[in-house]
Amino acid sequence: MKLTLKIWRQANSEAKGNMITYPIDGVDGDMSFLEMMDIVNEGLINKGEEPVEFDHDCREGICGACSMMINGQPHGPQRLTTTCQLHMRKFNDGDTITIEPWRAAGFPVIKDLIVDRSSFDRIQQAGAYVSVNTSGNTQDANSIPVEKAKADEAFHSATCIGCGACVAACKNASAMLFTSAKVSQYALLPQGEVEATDRVMNMVRQMDMEGFGNCTNTGACMIECPKGIKLENIARMNREYLKAETLG
Amino acid sequence: MSALVKSSLARKWVMALSGLFLVVFLTQHFVINITSVFAPDTFNEISHFMGYNPMVQFIAQPILIIGLIVHFIMGIVLELKNRSARPIKYAKFSGNANSQWVSRNMIITGLVVLAFLGLHMYDFWAEEIGYKYISANPEDPTRYYEELVHKFAPFWRTIIYVIANVLLAMHLWHGFNSSFQSMGAKAINKGDGLRKFTYAWSVIIPAGFIFIALFHHFSHS
């Protein structure tokens, strides 16, 4: 398979980047997108050029590290998959593929396709936890009854891998799907109720401070999320926030 | 309470609440106007009541204008803030792959509807104010139907009303159901009932206004 890649190159966070075109030959349909990028980089290294920097770790759709805007879609055209799970068979011989980093004020570019997603860490640190006394008296996991449907929903919300595709897909660069998933996974469980007020207030405040946009309910985040995190989480966060603001 | 005013979620509620208020207003506006098609006398009666009742004139009307201004200003504020949240645009962005055009372009449909409101206010509201308060004409409970029919006589104005209501339908299509999502309504995500209702309403009300405009244009031309 012969492809033409248009890749965003940016030397560092201060530099002005631009799109560079790279023709590539010998791409196999069974390769993952990241393996194809490895071939691009091998070629560049052999020519003595700087390889394209991109984030990756587990390469099996779990870690949330890989983050590429492929032909205008986060993680490419295949639903419910990360970039590392995307295979080149989804493309045709002769295609031109545009590859860019996530674009958001809350995700500044570090180099090439790598963005700084520490804003997500700070949002989590603001409240996405349950304070537990770990002095040695560990409770039995089943000592607090949890409704099956709520446990399932909480687990589903907790499958968010924090990759940032929701922000990348949103026309407003809003981080509400991510934040709401983290709020929801605790709001749905009795263990999370104690700190519910502070959690949602602090996490929303942090989210706003990071410079993300406002959600306008386009639903693009849910469609592009590799884990299928639902828009329902955002409605839940809105309820939790209203409850926290009015009832305290 | 200050966080409520500053936060992104509070901005969503302001947008949603003012939008829902305008949907309620549109509905009553439509119910009144549709009487002009089959009962001109009833239309005259209601219009006269709306035009001279002090509760409507000095309480409901200012609230409506405030609601409209709040919705407009918050829409602009949100648009500007959202644009600044992505300072560098994508070279390629496939919005159609994951969202409806109307949901991504509320500012366009909203501004067109706002521009139309300028014409609409000039056509009916400004003229009414002139009749009552500037020319100080006496009350005439029989004039409203004739004035309405007269307005829809020119083809160009009828076409503008038709186009504006198509844009209004597009705006409502996303805005009406979105307002429930912003308010955190569970029902919008549980089953399709509320969602289908909002979609149906978004088409029925503007289609009704279009029907009224076309009816008066063609039945009196």
Side-chain angles (χ1 to χ4, degrees), chain A residues 79 100 103 170 208 214 217 239, chain B residues 8 82 86 91 97 178 184:
Chain A
R79 295 271 178 269
E100 296 172 84
R103 296 283 188 207
C170 177
D208 288 344
N214 298 271
N217 305 316
R239 284 198 297 278
Chain B
S8 53
N82 291 341
R86 179 163 289 140
S178 176

Side-chain angles (χ1 to χ4, degrees), chain A residues 214-226:
Chain A
N214 298 271
C215 169
T216 51
N217 305 316
T218 67
C221 52
M222 177 177 71
I223 301 293
E224 298 294 357
C225 174

Side-chain angles (χ1 to χ4, degrees), chain B residues 8-57:
Chain B
S8 53
L9 267 59
R11 287 192 284 269
K12 286 179 66 161
W13 290 330
V14 171
M15 207 57 197
L17 279 173
S18 56
L20 284 174
F21 169 70
L22 294 173
V23 168
V24 172
F25 164 72
L26 267 180
T27 306
Q28 70 91 22
H29 191 353
F30 169 71
V31 169
I32 293 171
N33 282 24
I34 196 70
T35 61
S36 71
V37 171
F38 55 83
D41 290 342
T42 309
F43 177 74
N44 275 334
E45 259 176 60
I46 302 173
S47 300
H48 186 69
F49 171 80
M50 300 296 279
Y52 284 90
N53 183 286
M55 293 288 279
V56 175
Q57 285 296 295

Side-chain angles (χ1 to χ4, degrees), chain A residues 71-72 79 100 103 105 167-172 176 208 214 216-217 220 224 231-232 235 238-239 241-242 245, chain B residues 3-4 7-9 11 13 78 82 85-86 90-94 97-98 104 174 178 181-182 184 186 190:
Chain A
N71 279 344
R79 295 271 178 269
E100 296 172 84
R103 296 283 188 207
V167 174
C170 177
K171 79 175 190 73
N172 310 317
M176 283 199 191
D208 288 344
N214 298 271
T216 51
N217 305 316
E224 298 294 357
L231 216 53
E232 203 172 336
N238 295 343
R239 284 198 297 278
Y241 193 77
L242 184 61
E245 271 288 0
Chain B
L4 182 64
S7 89
S8 53
L9 267 59
R11 287 192 284 269
W13 290 330
L78 282 171
N82 291 341
R86 179 163 289 140
Y90 289 111
K92 189 169 184 179
F93 187 69
S94 305
N98 50 40
R104 299 193 310 275
H174 178 67
S178 176
Q181 169 78 13
S182 292
K186 284 183 184 174
K190 301 280 184 202

Side-chain angles (χ1 to χ4, degrees), chain A residues 102-146:
Chain A
W102 293 166
R103 296 283 188 207
F107 288 161
V109 173
I110 295 171
K111 188 175 183 183
D112 295 335
L113 303 174
I114 298 179
V115 296
D116 180 357
R117 282 175 285 183
S118 58
S119 50
F120 269 18
D121 296 338
R122 290 188 290 275
I123 292 171
Q124 294 223 65
Q125 286 157 9
Y129 52 79
V130 174
S131 302
V132 179
N133 184 351
T134 54
S135 58
N137 301 318
T138 312
Q139 279 190 322
D140 182 86
N142 297 318
S143 61
I144 302 172
V146 181

Side-chain angles (χ1 to χ4, degrees), chain A residues 12-246:
Chain A
N12 55 60
S13 58
E14 305 301 320
K16 195 174 178 298
N18 59 336
M19 302 295 290
I20 304 284
T21 302
Y22 298 99
I24 178 170
D25 199 356
V27 175
D28 192 286
D30 292 335
M31 286 176 179
S32 76
F33 201 86
L34 295 188
E35 285 168 338
M36 183 275 295
M37 290 299 291
D38 291 338
I39 290 178
V40 172
N41 277 346
E42 276 174 21
L44 289 173
I45 291 165
N46 288 339
K47 283 194 280 182
E49 294 178 26
E50 277 269 308
V52 179
E53 299 276 350
F54 60 90
D55 263 331
H56 62 101
D57 191 10
C58 73
R59 296 205 177 201
E60 52 187 11
I62 297 169
C63 72
C66 54
S67 51
M68 289 181 196
M69 196 72 170
I70 301 165
N71 279 344
Q73 284 183 269
H75 299 301
Q78 190 168 294
R79 295 271 178 269
L80 299 170
T81 49
T82 52
T83 301
C84 60
Q85 295 170 301
L86 176 68
H87 285 84
M88 296 314 294
R89 64 180 82 96
K90 291 294 288 183
F91 300 91
N92 299 314
D93 186 39
D95 275 359
T96 297
I97 305 174
T98 305
I99 308 166
E100 296 172 84
W102 293 166
R103 296 283 188 207
F107 288 161
V109 173
I110 295 171
K111 188 175 183 183
D112 295 335
L113 303 174
I114 298 179
V115 296
D116 180 357
R117 282 175 285 183
S118 58
S119 50
F120 269 18
D121 296 338
R122 290 188 290 275
I123 292 171
Q124 294 223 65
Q125 286 157 9
Y129 52 79
V130 174
S131 302
V132 179
N133 184 351
T134 54
S135 58
N137 301 318
T138 312
Q139 279 190 322
D140 182 86
N142 297 318
S143 61
I144 302 172
V146 181
E147 210 180 298
K148 175 76 167 67
K150 285 194 172 176
D152 287 349
E153 251 185 288
F155 274 121
H156 189 265
S157 301
T159 59
C160 166
I161 53 176
C163 64
C166 47
V167 174
C170 177
K171 79 175 190 73
N172 310 317
S174 168
M176 283 199 191
L177 191 68
F178 165 77
T179 310
S180 67
K182 300 300 171 194
V183 166
S184 288
Q185 74 184 60
Y186 298 105
L188 285 160
L189 300 174
Q191 291 91 334
E193 276 175 23
V194 183
E195 292 161 303
T197 303
D198 286 345
R199 176 180 306 112
V200 71
M201 299 278 282
N202 292 339
M203 289 179 74
V204 169
R205 189 182 302 121
Q206 190 63 41
M207 175 185 77
D208 288 344
M209 278 166 56
E210 298 292 349
F212 293 109
N214 298 271
C215 169
T216 51
N217 305 316
T218 67
C221 52
M222 177 177 71
I223 301 293
E224 298 294 357
C225 174
K227 297 298 162 187
I229 300 295
K230 295 178 200 158
L231 216 53
E232 203 172 336
N233 289 294
I234 298 181
R236 185 178 296 106
M237 180 172 72
N238 295 343
R239 284 198 297 278
E240 287 288 315
Y241 193 77
L242 184 61
K243 203 163 67 180
E245 271 288 0
T246 53

